Amino acid sequence: MAALAATLIIGLVAAGVISCLVIARRRGVSLPQAIAFLKLKVLFRLRLPPGTAAPSRGPVLHVYSRQSGLDAAVLWSVLGRDCLHVLQEDDRRSLILLAMRLFARTTPAGDMAAIEAALASGAPVAVGFPHSIEPTPETLVRYKDLAAVARRRSVPVRALHVTGSSLSLWSARPPSEAPRHLLPRLTLSMSGLLDFSDIGPADNGASAPRDEDRMHDLLALARFRGNDLGRGLFLAFRDAADRYGKAGPVLEDALGGRLTYRKLLIGARALGVRFETMSRPGEALGILLPNANAVIVTFLALQSAGRAAAMLNYTAGSAALVSALSTAEIRTVLASRAFVDKAGLEDQVAAIGKAGVKIVWLEDLRECITSLEKARAFLAWRRPIRPVNASDPAVILFTSGSEGTPKGVVLSHANLLANTAQVDARIDISVRDKLFNVLPVFHSFGLTGGAILPLLYGIRLFLYPSPLHYRIIPAVAREVKPSIMFGTDTFLAAYARTAGDTDFQSLRLIVAGAEAVREHTRQTYRERFGASIIEGFGMTETAPVAAVNSCSHGKDGTVGRLLPGMAMRLEPVEGINDGGRLFVSGPNVMLGYMLASNPGVLQPIEGGWHDSGDIVAVDEDGFITIRGRAKRFAKIAGEMISLGAIEMMVQKLWPEDFHAAVAVEDRRKGERIVLVTTKMPALREELREYSRRFGATDLMVPGEIVNVAQIPVLGSGKTDYVTAQKIADEWIHSHRKSGKARQDDVG
């Protein structure tokens, strides 16, 4: 027996030695490197991206964010034998890197002379930066210094990232931010090569983006590419449960419900079996539910069953709801009696029934689930009921209709996974955070950012059913103690007016979208609550985030920089000299539209580029400023006037009120601007005088002012410009009939 055991051991050792020799020969690395690579493959299931069968040759500056002590070991095992590894102090003392220090070329962090000498000799160099996603000013200086070295030596720069190493026992993050695993799965990802010496002025003569911004983008891109986008949402949630599931309840709601990852997936598996039997493969089922645990379970159940979830906007009214059902050819709606009764949605339910669509009440469905079905779900919670492709439709969302008829936006599993990964590559979030989501999940920001993102990255999530409870939400926040919150300027300003000084004191970060954030709102949250508001930009068609600022790397007044993996182009617009019409492409851009004129038929976007319909300007650092919607420009006396710019001007004059600028027909100058405002009284002469100090032209001064008690908003928090336009049209019509309409039009 002992002889057999010895023979087996000798055989395994021999097999290992032969494997290492083969790896060393095939990859062109040293034997110690091959041994380290084999250990990492066996113990940590190290996965390399395609095209890395052999290390890159010649002088290349490799940069990476050091997530743990394993990062240096991984890079040593895959980069060339002559690569110089610049080690931080922790790695120079680490026992797990003892072999690396014995056999590799290493130098302490900050040794710029050694870096330049290695590159000059034709050798590659690997340099690690601090693990934080959001760079500090000191880190930005290091980015700039290394970029300058690369420029002087005319060597390309490539960013690398070791996904999963932050969860290892040697993580650079504290346990409160990254749960520990004995042998986490590791994935090495990388950006393309960037040659800083080739970067010159832009075609329009503007300065090129700063070197530190270019380096930051490379690192973000490498981090983003480390995510697995080739699977379905259910499996992604299962993997999140494996990574973060030991932390206890991850999902809570205002009803007092608390769910762990496992309970969430068991419930989804049990419901999914029923959804599969009542529908066809790939069919979309409507979800008419509020922000509560049940909506997440139902959403995941549809993903498990291989069905698309059509998120229905119950605030849009019966006509819009029935139109959405027809557009997506929805035959079944999943709803809750308790919610319908409490929200007063009897008219909408009646309209759904009248349209011939079946309503399935979740209360009844839960009672029908047998003990055997529950047992099967308990045993099989890790597997979806039906396999799906990442490119399959996962959700149908309907555009807000703030400027016209809503359309169905079809997003795939990969679209949603990509967008969450893109945001994670730009904003520093971790399991220490708790997100308070008041935005409805029928809105893309509320679904992707407010539900899918936190649950995929281990952030505890608290769901609140309505963003309109201005007095209740601050009190709930005081009890929940969130660190992150999403919202719009309209909602955030309303909460601040009713909140006590301690209600939001737990917040560190607020991500705002859908409309521009007023400086008054930003200042209020910074001074009263110590929370930073960062602005982002997106649309349902990009799942939804396209650009975002961060706390340490942003510019007020902009919506941030484009997310990693995305591309943009600007097309000129007649009459606009400081911007263009924005087109975007990327892995988060939708599969296509469903239109009411062609129900149930997916209309893909042409060439992978989506026309955002926004007029934007991009500065030399890549920060995007929204000039306005293309539809929200008025043509007055032959000039294009941004209605959004008018709103910004008026907001600076009357910061505590709310305003909407719209255009109406004018016989003399083509169009006339009407300001709908809550300011009382709103004096036109005061506005005219301020516009001159503001630097605006006379054409930007509204020709008419209409006072309202409240600016109309949609359920998503956006200004409802359709209703605002009706208010202006009715006011103009009534005053023309009475002969009181202004005739001295100045814009």
Side-chain angles (χ1 to χ4, degrees), residues 25 69 81 105 211 222 224 328-329 348 372 375 382 393 456-457 486 493 507 520 524 536-537 561 602-603 610 664:
R25 180 181 178 85
R81 69 178 71 196
R105 297 178 60 194
D211 285 349
F224 164 67
E329 291 191 332
Q348 287 89 330
L372 180 59
R382 296 182 58 81
L456 286 183
Y457 290 91
F486 290 167
L507 286 175
H520 180 266
T524 296
F537 161 70
R561 306 173 74 241
L602 177 67
Q603 298 191 358
H610 170 64
V664 298

Side-chain angles (χ1 to χ4, degrees), residues 86-168:
V86 182
L87 297 183
Q88 296 185 21
E89 191 59 33
D90 288 346
D91 290 340
R92 290 177 60 79
R93 299 193 305 264
S94 173
L95 288 177
I96 65 169
L97 297 179
L98 177 60
M100 177 181 177
R101 294 198 300 274
L102 290 175
F103 296 105
R105 297 178 60 194
T106 65
T107 192
D111 190 350
M112 301 299 289
I115 294 173
E116 292 222 40
L119 293 173
S121 69
V125 176
V127 182
F129 293 109
H131 63 81
S132 178
I133 295 170
E134 300 183 28
T136 63
E138 294 77 16
T139 302
L140 288 172
V141 170
R142 288 189 61 195
Y143 289 171
K144 185 176 182 179
D145 290 344
L146 272 179
V149 171
R151 191 187 300 278
R152 282 197 301 271
R153 293 296 170 185
S154 297
V155 298
V157 178
R158 168 178 278 144
L160 305 168
H161 188 79
V162 184
T163 302
S165 69
S166 64
L167 304 177
S168 72

Side-chain angles (χ1 to χ4, degrees), residues 255 266 311 513 644 740:
L255 300 175
I266 289 172
M311 313 304 292
K740 296 179 181 179

Side-chain angles (χ1 to χ4, degrees), residues 275-276 278-286 302 305-310 328-333 393-394 396:
F275 296 158
E276 183 190 33
M278 69 175 66
S279 58
R280 300 185 297 259
E283 180 180 343
L285 280 74
L302 290 174
R307 290 358 182 207
E329 291 191 332
I330 297 170
R331 300 184 304 131
T332 305
V333 170
I396 303 174

Side-chain angles (χ1 to χ4, degrees), residues 575-700:
I576 298 174
N577 299 320
D578 60 344
R581 191 176 183 121
L582 176 66
F583 288 74
V584 294
S585 67
N588 55 317
V589 175
M590 65 174 179
L591 295 178
Y593 285 121
M594 284 186 180
L595 304 178
S597 59
N598 198 6
V601 177
L602 177 67
Q603 298 191 358
I605 57 175
E606 295 183 6
W609 287 91
H610 170 64
D611 177 5
S612 71
D614 289 290
I615 309 300
V616 309
V618 183
D619 69 13
E620 65 275 9
D621 298 327
F623 287 89
I624 300 171
T625 301
I626 307 297
R627 297 295 187 214
R629 296 285 294 166
K631 294 180 180 178
R632 300 206 66 242
F633 276 76
K635 194 166 187 178
I636 302 174
E639 292 193 30
M640 298 294 286
I641 305 297
S642 168
L643 299 176
I646 294 171
E647 290 172 352
M648 291 176 61
M649 177 184 70
V650 177
Q651 199 67 66
K652 288 183 179 294
L653 173 61
W654 299 317
E656 296 186 3
D657 293 280
F658 297 88
H659 320 278
V662 297
V664 298
E665 184 180 355
D666 184 87
R667 289 189 297 271
R668 291 199 304 120
K669 293 193 174 183
E671 288 183 296
R672 169 197 296 264
I673 296 170
V674 177
L675 177 68
V676 181
T677 178
T678 60
K679 171 67 177 177
M680 187 80 72
L683 302 178
R684 190 165 177 271
E685 288 307 314
E686 182 181 358
L687 183 54
R688 186 200 298 273
E689 182 181 342
Y690 178 78
S691 71
R692 291 167 181 162
R693 299 198 305 270
F694 186 78
T697 67
D698 284 347
L699 294 177
M700 291 181 65

Side-chain angles (χ1 to χ4, degrees), residues 428-435 458-460 483-484 508:
D428 199 357
I429 54 178
S430 74
V431 297
R432 77 183 186 279
D433 286 311
K434 188 172 189 178
L435 172 63
I459 300 169
R460 291 165 294 159
S483 59
I484 303 176
R508 70 175 182 88

